[in-house]
Amino acid sequence: MRRRLKRIRIRLLKQARDVWPRFVGVPYPTRVELASLLAARSLLTVVLRLPWARRFDRQLSWLLCLPPRFLSNRVPLPKHRVPGGFRAQVQNWFWRQHSPAEAAWTAILIALNIILLSLAIGFAFDVAIPASESQFKWASPDFVAIAGYAGAVFGFLQAVLVFVAQIRSQQDSSMLPLTIMFARKYHAFEILALSAGIAIANLTAALLAPFLAANQEPTSWPSNLYAPMLAMNLVLLPAMTALSLWMLASIIADAGNSDVQAVKPVVRAAMATAAQEDAQLVGSANLFVSELRESSLAYSPFAHSAVGRADGSSAAFDIGRTGTLVDVDCVALHQLGRICRRLDGVSIEFAALPGQDWSASHGAVARFGSSNYSEDEIEKHRARLQPILRKALIVNSRSLG
């Protein structure tokens, strides 16, 4: 696919070369100018440094015909074959990806999507319905009742899960670490997120919808929101109820099974996830060493040690953060290597690999092999290289400053 895109790009450039003088009126750029222009494509990937934008690194690199900007995306993804059909693959994905924290975010996103989708449907189809008011002249009784029902199901499921966890822990205390596995086995996080999302959406609409009506009375409802949300609730509430009953039936069906037998497929999915993460971590470490070598940098686990360093000076870098080295910006890393090549007798050694702890005493060290550098010059070069190094590293930590 990448070669095909390259051929298409070359063909388009040749066609542009033929029609360029006719429409632009200036000479067509030379090969050197075009090469520098294409090399500047990497500047477009700087947007990936924004929070949560690294997940689009592979897609943007595919569009720009460039290698991914970050090291973790340059490592090929390990593959894990799931036995079974499409349903088994979907279940395996839920078991591997979802957690209590993601369930909370899912509930918020479900509530937000319900409200936004209802408003979009109402405005697109111009759905109108008479205003509905409660005896308190504030909230719709329908939305309040639906929110109360979804909240009751949410609380009931929580009580059931706590009760099941206590019963199993009394049977065998060694199975306590498998409590979260039981929740994943019954898709409890997803069902709880759905019920919580429905409750949050209806309660939000019940309390805030009067403020959304711009040209209506404060106690009336926007006609574009009322009918679509009720229609969506007619679909979501039965689905939530059916899923809740399925979860209860699954718990009852597995009551006679042992703990290990009940969660064996979830444990297999968790072990597969751990194996893939380990394989990707090893691949990231190997690729990081090769990227350092290509950038005229080096890796040495004893970079901070003075053993065998009789001549020359060294200066450790302090990027202001400590923690786990999560990812590396390869574009900034290559920029750091280009600057080091311009400096006579200056080299940088890294002591930490991706996945290891990064700190001022276990990070990167600048080596000055020539004795012509004074203390002021060493500090000047370190101050010049340190911001680029800080930009090249993604450390999962809190700031020290």
Side-chain angles (χ1 to χ4, degrees), residues 58 68 70-78 276-288 327 354:
R58 294 179 184 270
F70 289 94
L71 183 73
S72 60
N73 293 317
R74 297 192 179 192
V75 180
L77 295 176
Q276 288 187 1
E277 291 176 353
D278 292 341
Q280 190 169 10
L281 192 61
V282 173
S284 299
N286 297 332
L287 185 59
F288 181 56
D327 210 343

Side-chain angles (χ1 to χ4, degrees), residues 230-384:
L230 288 180
M232 292 185 64
N233 284 320
L234 291 177
V235 178
L236 294 175
L237 285 179
M240 178 191 69
T241 305
L243 290 175
S244 303
L245 294 176
W246 171 86
M247 191 185 81
L248 295 176
S250 300
I251 292 175
I252 295 174
D254 290 340
N257 297 334
S258 63
D259 295 337
V260 177
Q261 291 296 328
V263 298
K264 185 178 291 184
V266 191
V267 172
R268 283 200 298 263
M271 294 177 64
T273 302
Q276 288 187 1
E277 291 176 353
D278 292 341
Q280 190 169 10
L281 192 61
V282 173
S284 299
N286 297 332
L287 185 59
F288 181 56
V289 174
S290 63
E291 290 287 337
L292 290 178
R293 192 180 301 112
E294 292 179 2
S295 303
S296 300
L297 305 173
Y299 165 71
S300 174
F302 307 104
H304 294 269
S305 176
V307 178
R309 305 283 183 178
D311 57 343
S313 304
S314 62
F317 291 100
D318 185 6
I319 63 173
R321 296 189 301 272
T322 182
T324 305
L325 179 59
V326 178
D327 210 343
V328 179
D329 188 342
C330 295
V331 177
L333 189 68
H334 294 164
Q335 180 186 0
L336 183 66
R338 288 193 298 268
I339 295 177
C340 285
R341 285 193 294 268
R342 299 193 194 105
L343 301 176
D344 184 22
V346 179
S347 62
I348 296 180
E349 295 181 359
F350 287 78
L353 295 173
Q356 296 181 355
D357 292 335
W358 180 281
S359 62
S361 60
H362 188 260
V365 175
R367 297 289 182 185
F368 298 89
S370 175
S371 59
N372 297 328
Y373 288 103
S374 62
E375 293 294 334
D376 294 338
E377 291 176 335
I378 291 176
E379 182 61 28
K380 177 182 178 181
H381 290 314
R382 191 177 71 90
R384 178 187 178 186

Side-chain angles (χ1 to χ4, degrees), residues 78 87 91 191 198 220 241 287 293 363:
R87 178 183 176 184
Q91 282 187 338
I191 299 174
I198 295 174
S220 62
T241 305
L287 185 59
R293 192 180 301 112

